[in-house]
Amino acid sequence: MKIGITCYPTYGGSGIVATELGMELALRGHEIHFISYAHPIRLRTNLDRVHYHEVDVTNYPLFAYPPYCLALAARMADVAATYDLDVLHVHYAIPHSISALLARQMTAATRRLPFITTLHGTDITLVGVEPSYFEITKFSIESSDGVTTVSDYLNVRTREVFGVQKPIETIHNFVNCDLYKPAPRPHADRPRLVHISNFRPVKRPLDCVRILHRVLHEQDVELWMVGDGPERGPAERLAHDLKIGSHCRFLGKQDRIDELLPQTDILLLPSEHEAFGLAALEAMACGVVPVATQTGGVGELVSNGLDGFLEPVGDVEAQAARVLDLLSRQTLRARMSRAARDTARARFCTNLIIPRYEKFYTDVAR
Ligand code: GMT
């Protein structure tokens, strides 16, 4: 099929899922057209059948806010006509599905251009429930030709919040288990914790620093903080104030998460909300045990006590205790590491999930 994909191209789970999905589909013979305002960070355009179309957003003095949504719609319609697209797949409801709706209308005289919206989390739980975006988010979901969510939790939440009647399909996030896998560790002088996020308040990265502080009372350990965003500065200051700066490295944005994760032992995911928790899945595929919060759809991925731990949001003591347990009990850590890898392989590998998207495209296009 010929598929147009639109996502936020920056660091963030929805853009990563969209990009990995497009590349996997291309490997399976589909022709993929990414349409966005910048080159998606994980996109390798040297792959056959992968194209990237940039959206130019011309500004004028009259525009207090450049109308990206319109420029995107026009580009989608243009790409659809030029490359004869079968379907558009947009990730994150606002504004992408409204642009897709406009593109569908713009091209209606000459083609059928159905569009699928995949909901990822904050597009529903934070942005969508804002009074200024509520009605348009609901409208965009109802207007989509197909809707998917990345977890059952988000599926249920979308119905509850927006009163949507149409079917919504859950297609869980996926990981390439051939790329994300355990790797031999150079002899490390101390165990390593890792946190990966876009450092927004919803991710609670300051809790990671607090957990580290608590763990350091009993065990020498290092924490890698990967990513960037508004809470990075406060997290760095907290590490400095708690005098644990030498144990806490802020690595900024990293491209090769698949190379970095196997060099760590435990992933910290202390989020306030998490529709799925892609970082936990990528970690588990590498045999890195997640210590996460019991929130949203994380429980669909992590089985508490088997392949990771789930503790209440904000309970730094409980999360630190789990980390200490894993660090001090080598056999427990080895067993949970194997179980984490097994879960990723058995339930979330690309070869299981990508065919579900392919079937969904076919059904919607039909
Ligand atoms: O909210 C974020 O951290 C980014 C966001 C996104 O859309 O870019 O992530 C959401 O989508 C990811 C991929 O599907 C999920 O794994 C995350 O759980 C989800 N984040 C939240 O729900 C907070």
Side-chain angles (χ1 to χ4, degrees):
M1 293 179 82
K2 297 180 180 179
I3 303 158
I5 293 183
T6 289
C7 61
Y8 283 107
T10 49
Y11 286 81
S14 61
I16 288 169
V17 170
T19 308
E20 298 283 1
L21 172 62
M23 292 191 297
E24 290 289 342
L25 288 165
L27 290 174
R28 286 165 164 75
H30 301 281
E31 185 178 306
I32 305 299
H33 295 264
F34 284 92
I35 309 166
S36 189
Y37 62 81
H39 193 268
I41 46 155
R42 282 205 195 170
L43 181 61
R44 300 190 306 277
T45 32
N46 59 350
L47 292 176
D48 284 346
R49 297 179 289 278
V50 171
H51 307 262
Y52 164 61
H53 309 273
E54 192 148 312
V55 179
D56 270 335
V57 192
T58 310
N59 208 355
Y60 286 104
L62 272 181
F63 297 160
Y65 305 99
Y68 173 64
C69 181
L70 302 184
L72 175 60
R75 194 79 171 113
M76 284 170 161
D78 170 44
V79 172
T82 308
Y83 294 93
D84 201 19
L85 296 189
D86 297 304
V87 65
L88 286 174
H89 186 181
V90 302
H91 294 256
Y92 211 91
I94 295 296
H96 302 146
S97 48
I98 294 299
S99 301
L101 171 61
L102 284 173
R104 186 178 72 189
Q105 289 174 345
M106 287 168 74
T107 54
T110 52
R111 65 184 52 255
R112 182 168 175 268
L113 183 62
F115 76 93
I116 292 164
T117 301
T118 289
L119 305 171
H120 282 267
T122 52
D123 45 353
I124 296 302
T125 56
L126 294 181
V127 179
V129 295
E130 283 286 323
S132 52
Y133 294 121
F134 182 88
E135 288 299 340
I136 194 101
T137 301
K138 180 173 158 69
F139 179 64
S140 77
I141 294 168
E142 281 169 345
S143 306
S144 301
D145 297 285
V147 180
T148 74
T149 53
V150 297
S151 63
D152 289 331
Y153 155 80
L154 191 61
N155 196 325
V156 170
R157 186 112 182 88
T158 304
R159 289 168 193 292
E160 281 171 359
V161 171
F162 296 99
V164 176
Q165 301 295 325
K166 69 189 304 170
I168 298 179
E169 182 145 330
T170 299
I171 304 183
H172 285 117
N173 284 336
F174 56 88
V175 64
N176 183 333
C177 298
D178 297 329
L179 196 61
Y180 286 78
K181 59 182 183 205
R185 281 275 288 279
H187 181 66
D189 50 358
R190 52 188 175 188
R192 202 169 279 143
L193 316 178
V194 64
H195 171 75
I196 304 172
S197 80
N198 46 20
F199 284 67
R200 287 180 303 154
V202 70
K203 299 288 182 180
R204 296 179 69 97
L206 274 73
D207 278 6
C208 298
V209 179
R210 295 187 186 106
I211 292 167
L212 173 67
H213 183 238
R214 177 68 193 79
V215 169
L216 281 171
H217 288 149
E218 296 177 41
Q219 170 97 36
D220 188 22
V221 70
E222 176 179 45
L223 169 63
W224 282 0
M225 297 286 272
V226 181
D228 213 332
E231 292 287 277
R232 176 176 168 174
E236 282 184 280
R237 264 193 303 284
L238 181 62
H240 176 264
D241 292 348
L242 293 172
K243 300 190 174 30
I244 56 172
S246 59
H247 293 261
C248 191
R249 285 180 60 194
F250 287 83
L251 304 183
K253 294 174 180 171
Q254 296 287 325
D255 287 336
R256 297 306 305 263
I257 299 295
D258 56 311
E259 290 178 359
L260 188 146
L261 272 170
Q263 303 308 315
T264 67
D265 301 287
I266 298 169
L267 176 95
L268 301 181
L269 187 73
S271 307
E272 182 97 36
H273 300 292
E274 203 66 71
F276 180 84
L278 182 65
L281 175 58
E282 292 180 338
M284 289 166 77
C286 297
V288 176
V289 181
V291 173
T293 40
Q294 178 77 62
T295 182
V298 184
E300 292 170 44
L301 165 66
V302 177
S303 298
N304 193 17
L306 177 74
D307 49 23
F309 286 112
L310 299 174
E311 294 296 341
V313 173
D315 193 340
V316 168
E317 277 298 318
Q319 291 167 62
R322 293 306 193 183
V323 171
L324 280 166
D325 243 6
L326 285 165
L327 292 179
S328 59
R329 295 167 61 195
Q330 179 59 38
T331 47
L332 175 75
R333 192 163 95 214
R335 175 161 49 78
M336 291 186 75
S337 164
R338 278 194 302 277
R341 167 84 181 151
D342 288 348
T343 297
R345 284 173 65 100
R347 295 180 48 214
F348 301 101
C349 258
T350 42
N351 56 350
L352 300 171
I353 305 289
I354 306 299
R356 296 204 45 211
Y357 276 112
E358 288 178 295
K359 176 164 187 325
F360 198 72
Y361 294 147
T362 311
D363 291 348
V364 167
R366 196 181 288 140

